[in-house]
Amino acid sequence: MIKMTQIDARGLACPKPVIETKKMIDKMTEGSITTIVDNEIAVQNVSKLAQSMSCNVDVKQVEKDFYINIYRGELATPLEVETTVTGDLVILVGKDTLGQGEGTLGKTLMKGYMYTLTEYAPYPKAILFLNSGVNLTTKGSEVIKYLRHLEENGVEILSCGACLDYYKVKDKLEVGGVTNMYTIVDTLHSAKKQITL
Amino acid sequence: MLDKEFYVISFDSTHYALDTEKKLKDHVDIETIPTPREISTSCGLSIKFKIDLFESVKNIIKDDIANMKIYKIVREGMKKNIYPITI
C-alpha cells in the first residue's frame, strides 16, 4: 500500500515546514507527501530538502497557497547527481567584517578574504551568511562578483532568510539563495571542515 | 579575478592604499586586493586594474605616482609572472 500524506504548514514559521516535512519523509520509504505552504521561501526550502533526500518534487500554486508534492520510492525517478569540483569546507560568515577593531579595516579585510578565496583551490563546498554577513550578499556589497564567481564554480552561497528579513533586504539579494536555520545547521554540522569568520 | 593580465600598484602602507582607493574608485574600475605573494611576502594591499585603464589611473594620481610601485602581472595557469613598470 502506498502512503499518501498531507502536511498543512500554512502559517507555520520557518523552519517548521521543513522540519515537519523531513519527519514525514524519514518515516516513509515509498509514497507521496503533500506539504502546503503559503510563501515562496518555504516552497524553495521544502523543495530543496526533499530533493536532497532523493525525492521527486513538483509544485502547484492554488490561489495564495503552494502545494508541494513529494514522491519517494518507486514513484520517484532517479535524479541526476551533479558533481562539482569543491572540497569539504563550509564557511560560516556571521558578520560583514573580518577581525575586531576598526570597521573600515574590517570591511577591507573581508573584501580581501573573498577575493583571495576565488584564487585558492579547492573552493569551499558552501558559504553561509548570517546576521550582518548578509550585507555581503545583498545590494551594495563590494564582493558580489567574487561570490558570483564562486557560485558559478559550484560553491553554494546561502543567506539566512530571517536575517535578510530583519535587515529588510530580502528583495535586495544579489547572489545565492535564501535558507533557514535548519539547513544552516545541517550544512555546517555535516561538513568535514568548518571555518567561522 | 582570474584575469589573464592586469596591472597592480603595491603599497607599503595600508592607509596609503585606502586613500588611493578612495581617490580612484568613483572614476575607474579598480579592485583593492591583498598584495600578490609574488610581489611581496609581507601583508599589504594593492590596487588592481585592467591594463587599458592605466592612463585613466595615471591622470588621477599623477602627483603621487612617482612614489608608487607598479607591476604588470601575467597569469600562466596557476603561476603569475611579474613585470615591474617604470613611469
Side-chain angles (χ1 to χ4, degrees):
Chain A
M1 191 191 73
I2 294 183
K3 226 183 146 165
M4 298 191 17
T5 327
Q6 202 179 67
I7 303 171
D8 190 345
R10 285 173 293 192
L12 292 184
C14 177
K16 277 220 99 172
V18 170
I19 294 182
E20 294 305 313
T21 306
K22 182 175 194 295
K23 274 196 219 158
M24 223 29 94
I25 301 180
D26 282 338
K27 285 199 244 172
M28 177 185 84
T29 46
E30 187 166 359
S32 80
I33 297 168
T34 299
T35 301
I36 315 171
V37 297
D38 52 23
N39 68 88
E40 296 252 26
I41 305 273
V43 173
Q44 281 178 41
N45 288 335
V46 172
S47 303
K48 267 197 207 149
L49 165 87
Q51 282 164 344
S52 75
M53 296 180 82
S54 303
C55 299
N56 234 14
V57 180
D58 68 69
V59 182
K60 288 191 175 52
Q61 186 170 0
V62 179
E63 293 192 336
K64 292 220 190 96
D65 298 329
F66 301 87
Y67 287 71
I68 309 166
N69 301 309
I70 299 166
Y71 309 97
R72 199 179 207 192
E74 296 222 335
L75 295 178
T77 49
L79 299 166
E80 268 180 2
V81 179
E82 236 185 6
T83 42
T84 49
V85 188
T86 54
D88 309 308
L89 171 66
V90 169
I91 305 177
L92 181 64
V93 182
K95 50 186 170 59
D96 56 1
T97 55
L98 201 52
Q100 255 183 323
E102 274 260 2
T104 318
L105 178 58
K107 286 206 165 88
T108 306
L109 290 175
M110 182 58 84
K111 245 194 324 188
Y113 183 89
M114 290 303 169
Y115 169 82
T116 310
L117 255 194
T118 67
E119 303 232 316
Y120 186 89
Y123 283 167
K125 178 159 149 261
I127 310 180
L128 311 170
F129 294 88
L130 277 184
N131 209 321
S132 66
V134 301
N135 286 331
L136 299 167
T137 55
T138 51
K139 186 155 183 223
S141 157
E142 293 181 79
V143 301
I144 300 284
K145 54 178 179 261
Y146 307 143
L147 297 177
R148 283 216 179 114
H149 173 90
L150 293 168
E151 194 185 30
E152 283 159 23
N153 286 274
V155 181
E156 250 200 303
I157 306 286
L158 296 168
S159 298
C160 160
C163 309
L164 290 169
D165 180 65
Y166 185 93
Y167 288 110
K168 302 209 188 343
V169 290
K170 224 176 209 169
D171 54 348
K172 300 204 168 70
L173 187 66
E174 303 234 320
V175 59
V178 183
T179 189
N180 55 65
M181 191 53 75
Y182 184 83
T183 310
I184 288 173
V185 170
D186 186 42
T187 310
L188 204 55
H189 292 229
S190 58
K192 292 211 181 94
K193 288 190 287 198
Q194 304 89 357
I195 287 179
T196 301
L197 293 189
Chain B
M1 57 262 111
L2 303 190
D3 295 316
K4 258 225 106 198
E5 290 192 336
F6 48 90
Y7 276 9
V8 138
I9 306 175
S10 81
F11 299 86
D12 290 329
S13 142
T14 322
H15 293 286
Y16 200 12
L18 293 176
D19 277 344
T20 309
E21 179 195 38
K22 239 187 252 166
K23 280 197 193 128
L24 289 168
K25 73 183 227 205
D26 292 325
H27 308 281
V28 189
D29 184 15
I30 53 149
E31 282 173 270
T32 306
I33 63 168
T35 301
R37 280 183 293 189
E38 293 83 355
I39 295 177
S40 163
T41 47
S42 65
C43 187
L45 291 176
S46 291
I47 292 186
K48 168 187 170 191
F49 50 91
K50 288 197 163 66
I51 299 192
D52 55 356
L53 297 175
F54 193 24
E55 287 308 311
S56 312
V57 169
K58 262 202 281 187
N59 279 333
I60 299 174
I61 56 173
K62 52 181 176 279
D63 299 325
D64 305 306
I65 204 153
N67 316 329
M68 295 180 184
K69 294 201 192 96
I70 309 184
Y71 302 86
K72 175 173 174 179
I73 300 195
V74 179
R75 225 185 273 267
E76 257 182 55
M78 286 311 289
K79 219 174 61 120
K80 291 197 200 100
N81 296 325
I82 316 284
Y83 306 96
I85 305 282
T86 39
I87 309 294

